[in-house]
Amino acid sequence: MGETIRQEARRLLAAMTRDEKIDLVHGVDNVWTRGVPRLGVRKLRMADASMGLRDDLVPATAFPAFIALAATWNRERAAAYGQAVAEEFRAADVDVLLGPGVNLYRTACCGRNFEYLGEDPYLASRMAVAYVRAAQAEGLSTTVKHFACNNSDWHRCCSNSVVDERTLREVYLQAFEAAVKDGGTRALMTSYNLLNGEYTACNRWLSHKVLREDWGFDGLVMSDWNGARDLGKAFRAGMDLDMPGVTQWNGYPKPLRELLDSGQLKPEDLDRSVFQILKWTLEIQKMQEDRSRPPRGRCADHAAVALQTAREGIVLLRNRDNLLPLEARPGMRLCVTGPAAYPTATSGGGAAEVKAVDPVSILGAVCALAPEATVLRTDRAEELARADAVIVCVGYDAEREREGLDRPWELHWHRDVNVIRHCQNHNPNTIVVIVAGGGVEMASWIDKTAAVLHAWYPGENGCQAIAEIIFGKVNPSGRLPITIPRSWADGAAAANYLPPGASHYNLPDYDWPTRAVFDVKYEEGVFVGHRHFDRAGRTPLFPFGFGLSYTTFEYSGLRVTKSAAGGADVAFRVRNTGARAGAEVAQVYVGDVQASVPRPVKELKGFARLVLEPGQEQEVTVALDRRAFAFFDVARQDWVVEPGEFRICVGASSQEMRLEGKLVV
Ligand code: BGC
């Protein structure tokens, strides 16, 4: 279809007037393109976001947070999730899905972490690719966002991310590159921040050199809403579509006319963007015409996808003396308390939030799954002391963890920490359930806690999965897509996340046009997340890739063999040695033993999620490509593999290597 569509786009371009072209490159009514009515070019409708359809008029499935999806480490789950979300968009006649968001998690405080895929470039890449492919197969365009380095929402519109090129290529741009090259996304959205001194919509190095020249991207680049700060620069840099065309800001259509009249923007620059929009529109139209299956809106199948994502994404962090699973029985007494017990936040806030229809709460789900028990919603000391176990539900919600703001690392002292301590003081069997988009401070209270579950934002029905895990109907299998440090200061980016003197609290950034730009220096370079802890030789509270199960797994038989095109096959066996069926996430890490540049001790380069019955053993082969051994050589502007020895480790987390081997490349 490629060449026919290109020809048609060229024909339409040639037939358009200058004013029609100016119209087409400016979005309208918040989420629409304008089309070219005279020539029969249709308008496209866009909608947020990665975690489901945010449209107040149509009831949509509220899926678990994207970070929960990352915690499943399950590409098939990402595909099922992407497909279900896209079906609901198509059922509502939406042509462009404004997601997925793939900015990496640099610290716990970024208000949008919940709508991204965690700290690791490889994990985020694989999950994003699966999502994009499945979503676009439903007949829409995804818009991978926010390109790039929008890793904080602290005054995001004035924040200049200062990042060296190697770090960009190896870490922050990886998931975008994968979504373009392997996922085939048809669109990208730039971000609100600056990158190395230039607003990303105006950054020619990013949108032209990297994206189009190096990665061969042939799709559409749109601005974030009001994010094209200098229209002429943005169009010259490679942006195609200015969203949303709020007249107060970009003054549509006057500034673009003036730029063209004065020669500051060449007609060819405008034509390139118009051509991209035409091609994009025709491609989307063709995909939709080719589809025979009618899309489904909110339905039982999508609810099942949401629930299964929560089941696989919730992470059991601690389980002293195997307190969990609890066995529900007549006469059992349970106290459920804490601010997140009822109602339980289903999502963080902002563009990614889908308002849940009939959301399940933790309290409701516990009552439903343990009808024979007495469940009290109380934190009265005498009731706590008499209970068999206490479930304390704490964390954030859509008001306090949201787009446009950052949130603190610590839980709320009075609301959350005091309640946890009070429960621990009266009952040793205290189970804490955390509802949040990332890590929180735990070291100050965790020692006296019997069990901890990280539930992320569970979506409309994920609290059922929390209760199923508590009562052993589901064996937990989520693994952290982030590192949780002991203290804020221990984290990789702690020293240079905010400008000196700033606190983690900020007001919504309505005042951004008047604020001065400030620098955020990514001084940790490629040593972000777990790479930092490896280099420092320090142990975090919970390492990247960590998560407990109700069963145990044994690894054996590592064989590493070279494969074609400079890669390797890593084969090994995993056996379920416990009494319950369960899923293990085997993680393959690669480390260059001696390198001419500082490289991480090891980097995640492959993983496999295995579902095993008790006693069952499975042989797995994880294929590593040549890139798995490479670093980005800035001088040569290329990926380079330095010959020599590489460590190949298979781990149950980034700190728990089960098998170790070598490969000489
Ligand atoms: C957000 C984007 C979103 C857009 C449209 C912006 O504020 O940053 O993620 O897609 O609004 O709603």
Side-chain angles (χ1 to χ4, degrees):
M1 87 176 175
E3 202 34 49
T4 328
I5 284 185
R6 284 178 169 277
Q7 273 171 11
E8 177 63 1
R10 268 186 232 116
R11 187 190 68 75
L12 290 165
L13 176 67
M16 283 169 75
T17 64
R18 196 180 82 154
D19 277 354
E20 283 170 336
K21 293 177 186 176
I22 292 173
D23 271 5
L24 191 62
V25 297
H26 291 295
V28 67
D29 293 340
N30 199 34
V31 287
W32 289 87
T33 62
R34 292 171 196 259
V36 191
R38 184 177 64 87
L39 299 174
V41 177
R42 53 171 288 209
K43 299 168 167 188
L44 295 178
R45 180 175 171 211
M46 315 182 193
D48 285 312
S50 322
M51 295 158 37
L53 178 65
R54 173 214 196 192
D55 181 334
D56 293 342
L57 301 177
V58 185
T61 307
F63 288 84
F66 230 43
I67 196 164
L69 176 63
T72 69
W73 294 60
N74 186 348
R75 296 167 176 87
E76 285 162 24
R77 188 62 38 225
Y81 185 125
Q83 180 187 341
V85 170
E87 277 199 75
E88 296 196 14
F89 277 60
R90 288 302 306 128
D93 264 331
V94 177
D95 307 298
V96 179
L97 188 165
L98 299 172
V102 301
N103 296 93
L104 290 192
Y105 178 107
R106 202 171 155 241
T107 78
C109 298
C110 172
R112 299 189 86 167
N113 279 333
F114 72 93
E115 51 171 313
Y116 301 144
L117 292 165
E119 74 179 29
D120 187 82
Y122 184 81
L123 176 62
S125 297
R126 291 353 294 166
M127 300 301 276
V129 166
Y131 180 101
V132 164
R133 283 188 186 163
Q136 291 200 145
E138 293 306 310
L140 49 65
S141 167
T142 52
T143 316
V144 177
K145 67 188 189 184
H146 307 89
F147 193 50
C149 289
N150 191 174
N151 308 102
S152 153
D153 258 35
W154 199 89
H155 298 294
R156 58 184 174 170
C157 295
C158 306
S159 178
N160 176 30
S161 303
V162 182
V163 198
D164 68 86
E165 182 171 352
R166 190 183 143 209
T167 302
L168 284 170
R169 300 271 194 170
E170 289 184 25
V171 180
Y172 295 99
L173 300 184
Q174 273 295 294
F176 292 99
E177 181 178 1
V180 165
K181 289 186 178 171
D182 301 347
T185 184
R186 292 193 163 77
L188 252 80
M189 185 194 295
T190 57
S191 55
Y192 279 129
N193 56 289
L194 302 88
L195 175 63
N196 293 329
E198 190 65 87
Y199 277 102
T200 55
C202 305
N203 194 317
R204 191 168 160 83
W205 178 82
L206 190 65
S207 297
H208 186 77
K209 164 82 175 77
V210 173
L211 181 61
R212 298 206 191 266
E213 284 185 7
D214 297 352
W215 299 349
F217 180 65
D218 187 28
L220 179 123
V221 178
M222 71 176 75
S223 69
D224 199 341
W225 271 228
N226 271 341
R229 297 290 291 269
D230 176 328
L231 269 187
K233 234 184 194 176
F235 282 112
R236 285 194 303 272
M239 183 196 77
D240 303 308
L241 179 59
D242 173 42
M243 292 301 291
V246 172
T247 39
Q248 305 90 292
W249 174 245
N250 67 22
Y252 155 86
K254 204 159 153 253
L256 205 51
R257 277 192 192 144
E258 285 171 1
L259 286 165
L260 289 162
D261 287 343
S262 65
Q264 290 177 69
L265 188 68
K266 296 200 202 83
E268 307 89 87
D269 286 328
L270 179 64
D271 281 0
R272 213 178 27 240
S273 298
V274 172
F275 175 77
Q276 285 298 349
I277 299 170
L278 291 169
K279 180 164 78 66
W280 187 53
T281 308
L282 296 173
E283 277 170 3
I284 292 171
Q285 192 174 330
K286 175 86 173 68
M287 284 191 299
Q288 293 171 0
E289 284 163 4
D290 288 351
R291 282 194 59 80
S292 48
R293 185 158 51 86
R296 291 174 303 172
R298 186 184 146 80
C299 59
D301 284 353
H302 296 170
V305 172
L307 178 59
Q308 190 59 21
T309 307
R311 284 174 176 152
E312 295 178 6
I314 293 167
V315 184
L316 177 62
L317 292 173
R318 181 177 168 88
N319 193 15
R320 196 182 60 208
D321 302 329
N322 295 326
L323 172 70
L324 295 180
L326 300 179
E327 200 187 320
R329 52 181 162 73
M332 180 183 223
R333 294 180 73 84
L334 293 173
C335 292
V336 182
T337 186
Y342 178 89
T344 307
T346 56
S347 170
E353 184 185 2
V354 178
K355 293 271 184 262
V357 183
D358 271 345
V360 179
S361 67
I362 300 175
L363 179 66
V366 167
C367 292
L369 261 90
E372 58 279 71
T374 303
V375 181
L376 301 175
R377 187 192 182 191
T378 181
D379 57 10
R380 286 181 51 210
E382 54 274 35
E383 297 294 353
L384 294 174
R386 290 173 61 204
D388 294 288
V390 177
I391 301 169
V392 194
C393 312
V394 297
Y396 288 91
D397 53 39
E399 291 306 312
R400 298 185 312 132
E401 186 164 27
R402 60 179 295 115
E403 175 185 347
L405 296 177
D406 265 11
R407 58 97 160 151
W409 153 244
E410 293 83 10
L411 288 170
H412 194 287
W413 184 254
H414 294 293
R415 257 185 40 146
D416 297 336
V417 179
N418 269 352
V419 182
I420 295 173
R421 293 203 164 146
H422 169 73
C423 294
Q424 289 166 341
N425 287 341
H426 291 94
N427 193 312
N429 293 341
T430 295
I431 301 154
V432 174
V433 181
I434 298 168
V435 177
V440 296
E441 195 281 328
M442 299 185 205
S444 67
W445 52 261
I446 199 164
D447 287 348
K448 285 180 78 181
T449 309
V452 179
L453 276 176
H454 202 316
W456 316 109
Y457 289 105
E460 65 180 40
N461 55 11
C463 289
Q464 180 182 327
I466 299 172
E468 287 171 342
I469 289 174
I470 290 175
F471 296 110
K473 294 210 158 34
V474 165
N475 190 349
S477 62
R479 300 289 184 268
L480 287 179
I482 55 170
T483 305
I484 304 185
R486 276 180 194 283
S487 66
W488 168 256
D490 259 5
N496 47 49
Y497 180 66
L498 293 179
S503 83
H504 295 299
Y505 305 87
N506 58 311
L507 294 170
D509 48 1
Y510 306 128
D511 62 345
W512 60 269
T514 58
R515 287 185 82 88
V517 166
F518 58 90
D519 288 348
V520 177
K521 297 184 179 154
Y522 288 40
E523 279 169 8
E524 72 283 6
V526 297
F527 298 96
V528 67
H530 55 100
R531 300 143 181 251
H532 162 75
F533 284 87
D534 277 354
R535 180 174 62 159
R538 235 178 283 160
T539 316
L541 185 64
F542 294 112
F544 172 75
F546 175 80
L548 298 171
S549 164
Y550 296 149
T551 186
T552 47
F553 300 95
E554 200 176 82
Y555 289 63
S556 63
L558 178 66
R559 276 178 300 122
V560 182
T561 46
K562 284 190 184 173
S563 64
D569 286 332
V570 182
F572 52 94
R573 287 191 296 277
V574 182
R575 196 157 78 89
N576 181 346
T577 48
R580 279 170 178 265
E584 174 71 328
V585 177
Q587 302 157 36
V588 178
Y589 294 87
V590 176
D592 194 350
V593 174
Q594 215 179 3
S596 63
V597 293
R599 293 193 66 179
V601 175
K602 60 182 189 309
E603 295 170 72
L604 181 76
K605 295 296 175 185
F607 58 88
R609 191 174 189 283
L610 309 162
V611 181
L612 298 172
E613 293 298 318
Q616 189 188 348
E617 184 172 69
Q618 196 176 322
E619 163 108 15
V620 201
T621 303
V622 172
L624 303 177
D625 59 11
R626 190 178 156 77
R627 180 71 83 81
F629 302 91
F631 69 92
F632 189 81
D633 186 328
V634 176
R636 287 161 68 172
Q637 285 289 293
D638 204 359
W639 294 89
V640 169
V641 179
E642 288 181 334
E645 194 175 298
F646 285 79
R647 282 173 68 211
I648 313 281
C649 324
V650 183
S653 82
S654 63
Q655 298 257 322
E656 194 186 342
M657 292 309 128
R658 299 293 191 85
L659 302 169
E660 292 223 22
K662 279 188 233 169
L663 186 76
V664 177
V665 180

